[in-house]
Amino acid sequence: MNLHGNQYAVFTWTPETAGLPGPAATSFTSLLPNIVAGYSDAPGYTINENQAPLLGLAEYDKAQFIKGRREAVLQNTLFLGNANLLRYGLRSSNLNSVPGELQPIAVGAGVQGEGSHFMVGRHALMREFNLSFGGIGTPVPARFEFWPTFTDFSLGPPTFSDTAIGIIGGEVLTWADCQLTINGANHRALVNTASVTVTNDLVRVGMRRDNGDNNDLSRTPQLVYARATNIALEFSLFDRLPSSLRNSALNSTTWANVVFRATKANEGFVLTINEAVLESHSQGTGSVGEMMKFSANAPGRNATLAII
Amino acid sequence: MATTFRSGHEGFFAFGVEGTNLLPDAQQWFGLSGLGATPLPVMAFAGFSSAPQFTTNENTSIQRGIGSYRGYRFYKGRREHAVSCQLTLGNPSLLAYALRSGAFTSPTIGGLKPLSVAGGAVNTHDAISQFSWIGRHALINTVKFSVAEGQVFTADVEFWPLALVRNGPLFGRPTVESLETALLTAGRSVFTWHACEVTINGVSRRDIVRKVGINVSNSLERVGQRPDFGDDEPLSRCALQNYPLQEEVQFEFELSDKLPDNLVSSVTDATLWDRVVLTMTAPYTDSNGGSHQHWIYLTLGKAALNQYTMAQSGPQDVMKFSSSGPGLGVTLTYQSQ
């Protein structure tokens, strides 16, 4: 056994350049994710074997266990900085040769140094990412989740200097570096916190045959497929929404766009939610000794992310 | 830069009442911070005081991440300022702004008046050493009034400015003599224990009270954060507004004997007191040499006995008692004739 501090953890990615292994394939070409995402936590991953007990008559013990579909999930949090990876969660980024489709990537999670190990999630799609704005004294965190089609444990981790990671990570972006406009008007001062969640409705399709637990393709999905995309905006506010965003005009609740622009030293990103509609707005209960709280929720139609 | 030494006697503390309220919506992303549009109010010396202290917390943090046991970069947090000083009263005009019972005219922030508070050094012998800083749009967070046997009446005040201008004006660079005269005039005649009266439920308790402390907190909360306009802009990264929440009032008595029964246990609601009034008086000489009197009345409309003790002491000591509790409806009144 080796003990590992999280400072030695590795999280890397690279776009997939070839198609999925065929439905009957028992092997695949390895791909080493060698791009560092920036400043991040140690990634977490789960591989669910979906073992199911088989119960039968005349036996109070389980008759046996049946192996199910091998399903992998990888999650992590980036601290922006560098938002490049998040483009893979948006079809509007047009990173795939098929317009409107998500680009599959390989994501790597492991640890460097003595007792190093590495897991590569292959042909992974980004199921969700969430950006939180407004936290005082914290960088803008981006939480995300990938669904790999299958995993590969055969490779060792790539190595990077901390200097290289610091360069890729870029300028740290905090709420003080952000501006927020709704319908082109500055509403930053109204916002306590804002959250944008982009969810791609992924589905695992089919299951490959079992070639043994020692085969990485065994019992994995034929593919991971993206269905509809949902975009959710949540605002925690210092005051109620201005009437221009509620009820002063015929279609006040239909907002043309919500734009988050986070830049420092000419580095950063612009996240634009096009066509958001006010779904609910509320004044929260609270006790004396607290500031009054207001909130608003607004689903969006589509989103774009521009890297600056 | 050569090191400059300054003595506390060269220091000053001044304040003024802001004419506007820096509304959160006034700030824009691009352009000036907005502070330039709010001119410095007329400043006055607060009276006899310690050299004021300011603290600026940039709340700088280290960005850490996997791949390094060191941090990668620093990032700046919310800029938070605090100014504190001890006043010897005298002149309570500044402290009137500590209490929402002052019922100030607009603009107020949650009932409190935003102030400018300034400190620094005005050394007339060495102009290089003089400097000034100004805390703008400051609210009083806490004030602790205190007077004890043989002592003068003091108030420890903490302000929360929204922004701090590090290189402010020097208020005409007064000479040592003019500064002294100005402070003497502003300070007026100080109030001392021997001219103090303490009443509880309208009855004098000066016979058993040795020390009185009345603490008021406006429970300020820093709300939000303005954009980063650059470290050279005073409004950069500071809160959108410092806002007062509930008023907390606490009294503390040091006593030379136990509390009388009617303030503790002789009737059903003995521990619920009607009024606690601290009255201070002092002779007051005006600028023409005229002799007057002036008074301060510090009143708790209601008070409740929460804790009372007899302290452990040695055989050679005088026995000591104390009591404390919350108060409601604190007011400060000043009169002169």
Side-chain angles (χ1 to χ4, degrees), chain B residues 115-322:
Chain B
L115 307 171
S116 275
V117 288
V122 287
N123 188 337
T124 57
H125 305 294
D126 176 5
I128 296 172
S129 70
Q130 62 188 4
F131 73 99
S132 162
W133 50 263
I134 306 175
R136 297 296 305 271
H137 296 267
L139 299 184
I140 293 177
N141 185 34
T142 59
V143 57
K144 296 181 178 180
F145 298 97
S146 180
V147 63
E149 285 177 353
Q151 304 293 317
V152 291
F153 188 32
T154 61
D156 290 276
V157 196
E158 183 192 66
F159 304 84
W160 280 14
L162 203 55
L164 196 87
V165 180
R166 291 190 64 241
N167 298 301
L170 288 160
F171 308 108
R173 191 184 163 194
T175 63
V176 169
E177 291 75 15
S178 67
L179 177 60
E180 182 181 298
T181 303
L183 285 170
L184 266 174
T185 304
R188 301 177 188 168
S189 305
V190 297
F191 300 104
T192 58
W193 175 256
H194 59 253
C196 166
E197 176 61 279
V198 185
T199 64
I200 304 174
N201 294 350
V203 177
S204 171
R205 298 294 173 190
R206 195 178 190 282
D207 52 342
I208 59 170
V209 174
R210 303 180 64 192
K211 182 179 181 182
V212 181
I214 294 178
N215 305 334
V216 181
S217 169
N218 288 313
S219 305
L220 293 186
E221 178 158 314
R222 294 185 173 91
V223 180
Q225 187 187 23
R226 293 170 192 255
D228 189 358
F229 302 108
D231 290 349
D232 52 335
E233 280 285 354
L235 278 178
S236 271
R237 298 183 280 108
C238 67
L240 293 170
Q241 197 157 82
N242 295 327
Y243 194 86
L245 296 171
Q246 80 279 15
E247 182 180 76
E248 302 278 1
V249 182
Q250 187 80 14
F251 71 85
E252 296 169 351
F253 291 133
E254 283 185 17
L255 305 165
S256 52
D257 197 0
K258 66 188 180 71
L259 280 172
D261 286 347
N262 66 331
L263 297 180
V264 183
S265 60
S266 66
V267 293
T268 305
D269 289 324
T271 59
L272 302 183
W273 303 346
D274 266 346
R275 291 167 77 82
V276 174
V277 183
L278 181 64
T279 307
M280 317 285 297
T281 183
Y284 173 42
T285 305
D286 66 24
S287 56
N288 297 320
S291 181
H292 307 276
Q293 289 280 321
H294 65 161
W295 294 268
I296 285 178
Y297 304 94
L298 188 59
T299 304
L300 306 188
K302 299 277 183 187
L305 178 64
N306 188 45
Q307 190 176 68
Y308 55 106
T309 63
M310 184 174 88
Q312 178 179 320
S313 58
Q316 75 280 19
D317 297 328
V318 174
M319 292 181 75
K320 290 174 185 162
F321 302 80
S322 64

